Each structure stands twice: as C-alpha cells, then as structure tokens.
Amino acid sequence: MTETSLYDRIGGAPTIDALVDSFYARMDQLAEARTIRAMHPQDLAPLGQVLKDYLSEWLGGPALFSPVRGHPRMRQRHMRVAIDSAARDAWLLCMRGALAETVADEAARQAIDEAMARLADWMRNVPDEQPAENTISQN
C-alpha cells in the first residue's frame, strides 16, 4: 500500500499555483507583511515560479526545483537576508492565510502548516533586535 503525497492530497499543481498566488497577494496587501515584502523584488512572478517549483517537490510532487537549481539549501540561500522572528511571523501569517484559502483537506493543511512553521523557524538567522534590510534574489 502506497501513501498518497501531500501534493496529491491537496490537488497537485493547480492548488500549488493558487497557494503561491494567494501567498504573494497577501504579502502585497497585509500591513503586517510590509517588512518581508520589502525584502523581495518588485516583480514577484519569477520568485513565485521558484516557490511553486519548490513546493511541488517539497510536498511530494514532481521534482521541478532540484533539477534546475540543485539541492534546495533553503537556509543557505536565504543567509543574505536578515530573518528574525518578526519576519518569520509575517511570512507565516501570509502562508497560513493562503493555506486556509486554498487547501480544503484540513489534515493536509495542518500537516503542511506544521512543517512550514518548523522550516520558517529554522530560517531565522539574526537576533530579533537586528532589522531585516536585504532583498531576496531569484536564485
């Protein structure tokens, strides 16, 4: 018996697309996300595609990220960006809202949220008193 991936449980690529689009829309719209929005380039479309590719693979779907970009090394890729607890919380606020909007399977949504919360916490790389002033690239 094979276990169904989270990717398949949530509806595959269409749900990943909607999730990422909702995430970045929230980043643009929410005052609480202003700080993390400033870390990103004006045009979010290229980063959106990178995130879609990453989430596809991370959730057990097609490997779209690694063949093009290599091992994710997420923390290493973000080390040039100062990420404190406030940035983590803003990111999670946007992602949790997007998950609630796009993922109907409550158990899958909770599993993804828990894994993302651990990942977001692990991404913190500066003490909370240091401001986040760098920008994220598309790499």
Side-chain angles (χ1 to χ4, degrees), residues 76-95:
Q76 181 181 346
R77 289 177 190 266
H78 289 79
M79 286 304 285
R80 68 179 160 266
V81 180
I83 302 172
D84 60 9
S85 293
R88 173 205 59 202
D89 293 348
W91 190 92
L92 281 171
L93 177 69
C94 294
M95 187 53 74

Side-chain angles (χ1 to χ4, degrees), residues 104-127:
D105 180 326
E106 188 175 334
R109 184 173 59 245
Q110 182 176 348
I112 294 166
D113 176 77
E114 290 170 4
M116 286 188 171
R118 286 190 303 273
L119 177 61
D121 193 55
W122 180 70
M123 296 293 285
R124 291 180 305 131
N125 58 22
V126 297

Side-chain angles (χ1 to χ4, degrees), residues 19-114:
L19 174 66
V20 171
D21 293 346
S22 176
F23 169 75
Y24 282 122
R26 289 169 189 282
M27 192 183 292
D28 272 337
Q29 297 163 359
L30 297 176
E32 301 91 339
R34 211 173 298 138
T35 302
I36 62 168
R37 178 59 179 99
M39 295 176 186
H40 293 75
Q42 182 66 30
D43 181 8
L44 293 171
L47 279 180
Q49 188 57 56
V50 171
L51 182 56
K52 289 173 184 181
D53 292 349
Y54 173 76
L55 289 176
S56 172
E57 192 168 330
W58 190 67
L59 294 172
L64 302 175
F65 185 93
S66 295
V68 175
R69 300 185 182 287
H71 189 281
R73 304 180 331 267
M74 296 308 289
R75 192 160 197 268
Q76 181 181 346
R77 289 177 190 266
H78 289 79
M79 286 304 285
R80 68 179 160 266
V81 180
I83 302 172
D84 60 9
S85 293
R88 173 205 59 202
D89 293 348
W91 190 92
L92 281 171
L93 177 69
C94 294
M95 187 53 74
R96 286 176 170 153
L99 283 167
E101 181 181 321
T102 60
V103 177
D105 180 326
E106 188 175 334
R109 184 173 59 245
Q110 182 176 348
I112 294 166
D113 176 77
E114 290 170 4

